[in-house]
Amino acid sequence: MRFAHPQVLWLLLVFPPALLLFFWWSWRQRQRLMTQFIQSRLLPGLLMGISAARQKIRLACIVLAVACVIVALARPQWGFTWQEVTQRGVDIVVAIDTSKSMLAQDIAPNRLERAKLAALDLMQQAKSDRLGLVAFAGNAFLECPLTIDDSAFRQSVEALDVGAIPQGGTAIAEAIDTASAAFKEGDNHKVLVLMTDGEDHDSGALEAAQKAAQAGLRIYTIGIGTAEGELLRVADAQGHTDYVRDEQGNVVKSHLNERLLQEIAGASQGGFYLPLRGAKTIDALYEQGLSKLPKGENQERLVKQYNERYQWPLGVAVLLLVVEVLLPERKREAQTAGGAAVAARPLTAGALALILFLVLPRAALGSPASALREYKSENYDQALKQYEQLLQRHPDDPRLHFNAGAAAYKNHRFDQAVKQFDAAAASPDLKLQELAFYNRGNSLFRLGEQNPDPSKRTEAWEKSLDDYKLSLGLNPQDTDAKFNQEYVKKKLEELKKQQQQQNNSKQNKSDKQDKNQQQQQNQQQQQDQKQQQDQKQQQDQKQQQDQKQQQDQKQQQDQKQQQDQKQNQQQQQQSKQDQSQQQQNSQQKQQEKQAQHQGARPKDQKQQQPQPGQEKNQDEKDKDAAAYAAGQMTPEQAQQLLDSQKGEEKLLPAKPEGKPLDPNRPIKDW
């Protein structure tokens, strides 16, 4: 037996004694008031039949009922079951220094106890996270692997002591390595919360932190102690206390090494250092660091789930209150008046209370009468809920099914109404069967009316006609069933006609679409043919143009060739004329030479006397002689040659013979 909230049990020391004290005080007050206002000789007659024992029993029932309620509030648990629990959280390993330096009392009660309280505070904050515990001094040991079982972690923390690790000293590097090994591959975000005073007796703590940070471990350091430090005291086996001394016998004073802890926390990305001062250190650690980390799924196979047993003390409390109500203070006595025994009034009140006690739970669970009242008040949703509650207790009652179907029909839940009327139709009562078939037909009609699919609507209405037919088979005189049957038939025929028209229109539309598509295809073919013809014509025209261009080019080439030939001929004629002129010049020169040798004038050359003022100077004469010696004609000789050829000139023809020359060519003399 265990209690989920054992602190509630402290109320047992307050409320029951307070009630007893109150009842005793009220009894004394009542006795004092009766003696003041009633004469003592009248008291026995007035108190006749009142039982003091019954009064005490009633008061005891009230006190015990209150005690049982308090026990129920403490949630007693008895027995447990193993259950697999999956949670989302972070994996956190708490490493606590258990060296002798943690016995310093610079923070109350001492460093180690304060670290243990901080670890338990962290457990309260990290409700959905997995927690593990590492204790370290000269070496490190995994006290509790990662788990979501708060009880196991709490027990491991409470069991820590300076003697947990036999080897003395403070090896922070080994604590970091042991914490890193506690995480499995592929686990969630890895976190180490290191609680120590920072007095590292072995080197390599910073290097171990850097190596762990590369492996994905985030380190948060909690400094425990003060920078001023404190002398260390230990108790021997006899209980005597003495200071811790070093090898030279000097008293050892332990200080908080904050610088080392800051460097260790800074080696990992996102980690930080906090001094353990005040009550908000762990809250700041979780809010600023741990709560911001991404959560992963933690799965634990064996977790104890304790069975709640609070119902038993609560039931006893209710029973005691019922006994207190039913138990009268007066004894039942027979009265001789009328010769009949008359029960006391308190018994009548107790019986009434018992009746109310038995009736109220049924009213809370729902009754046919209350459901019918809700139905008549048009609270169909509430009526349906009450009928469903009644069906859970009486699933084979066809009347409840029929009423639930009627409430669902009024609430426009036609699919649920069909199911309820279907169950009611299995009743052996023929009248109930008839009504069930009739109402199921109505529900199917409404259900089909809401369905936008014509095929499903037709199916629902056909089933509705079958139900009306079954209803008329049981009661042929039912005019409502006949009217509904004819109405549904008419609606069904209209629906079928509408579907047929839609099908015809769809067919016509499809035919029209096919025809339009055929026309479009024909038009497209015609357009394609026309485009082909146009392309062919364009190709022919292009070919003709190319041929014409070729002919024009050929003609131009021929004309050019003819012109070139004519030019060549003219050039040849000109060259011939030049040759003949050169020959004549050479002949004339020869004749002049001969005439010079013979002292005679050249033939056909007139002797020209120099005119006055035209005498040549000696230089001009020398030039003429040099030109004559070079074979060139002098101006006088050229004039003589022209005069000799005047008789041989011919007139130019009025129109050139042969093919006309190109007008674009420059005019040349011929």
Side-chain angles (χ1 to χ4, degrees), residues 581 584-593 596 602-606 608 616 624-645:
Q581 187 175 359
Q584 289 177 4
N585 293 331
S586 63
Q587 289 176 3
Q588 188 176 359
K589 289 178 181 181
Q590 289 177 2
Q591 290 176 3
E592 288 177 355
K593 287 180 180 181
Q596 288 177 359
K603 189 178 181 178
D604 297 332
Q605 184 175 3
K606 295 180 179 181
Q608 296 182 358
K616 294 183 179 181
D624 292 340
Y628 182 80
Q632 298 180 356
M633 293 177 64
T634 62
E636 291 80 5
Q637 292 175 353
Q639 184 67 34
Q640 290 176 3
L641 181 62
L642 291 174
D643 292 337
S644 65
Q645 291 180 352

Side-chain angles (χ1 to χ4, degrees), residues 126-144:
K127 293 184 180 297
S128 60
D129 302 328
R130 289 198 302 179
L131 294 174
L133 180 64
V134 171
F136 69 96
N139 53 18
F141 180 74
L142 182 63
E143 294 285 343
C144 178

Side-chain angles (χ1 to χ4, degrees), residues 446-511:
R446 296 297 183 187
L447 189 62
E449 194 176 25
Q450 290 181 348
N451 201 322
D453 190 1
S455 60
K456 293 183 179 180
R457 184 183 301 177
T458 302
E459 182 182 358
W461 285 358
E462 287 176 351
K463 291 181 180 179
S464 177
L465 287 177
D466 295 335
D467 286 339
Y468 289 137
K469 186 176 180 180
L470 292 173
S471 179
L472 289 173
L474 294 174
N475 185 11
Q477 305 301 325
D478 191 356
T479 56
D480 293 336
K482 290 180 181 179
F483 177 83
N484 289 351
Q485 187 180 23
E486 295 298 329
Y487 179 81
V488 175
K489 281 183 180 179
K490 187 183 297 184
K491 297 288 289 184
L492 191 57
E493 289 174 358
E494 292 176 358
L495 180 61
K496 289 182 178 179
K497 288 180 181 179
Q498 186 178 2
Q499 288 180 351
Q500 188 174 3
Q501 291 177 359
Q502 290 179 355
N503 293 332
N504 293 333
S505 63
K506 287 181 180 178
Q507 185 67 27
N508 295 332
K509 189 175 180 180
S510 62
D511 294 338

Side-chain angles (χ1 to χ4, degrees), residues 26-82:
S26 62
W27 179 78
R28 291 290 302 271
Q29 286 292 108
R30 186 171 54 182
Q31 294 292 330
R32 185 177 61 82
L33 292 174
M34 282 192 301
T35 55
Q36 287 180 357
F37 295 98
I38 301 174
Q39 295 182 2
S40 58
R41 62 183 181 83
L42 299 177
L43 284 175
L46 295 174
L47 299 177
M48 184 180 298
I50 295 177
S51 175
R54 291 191 177 190
Q55 289 180 342
K56 293 178 181 179
I57 292 174
R58 292 184 63 185
L59 295 178
C61 289
I62 294 174
V63 175
L64 291 176
V66 171
C68 291
V69 169
I70 293 174
V71 173
L73 291 175
R75 288 178 56 191
Q77 297 172 345
W78 183 23
F80 61 88
T81 57
W82 294 101

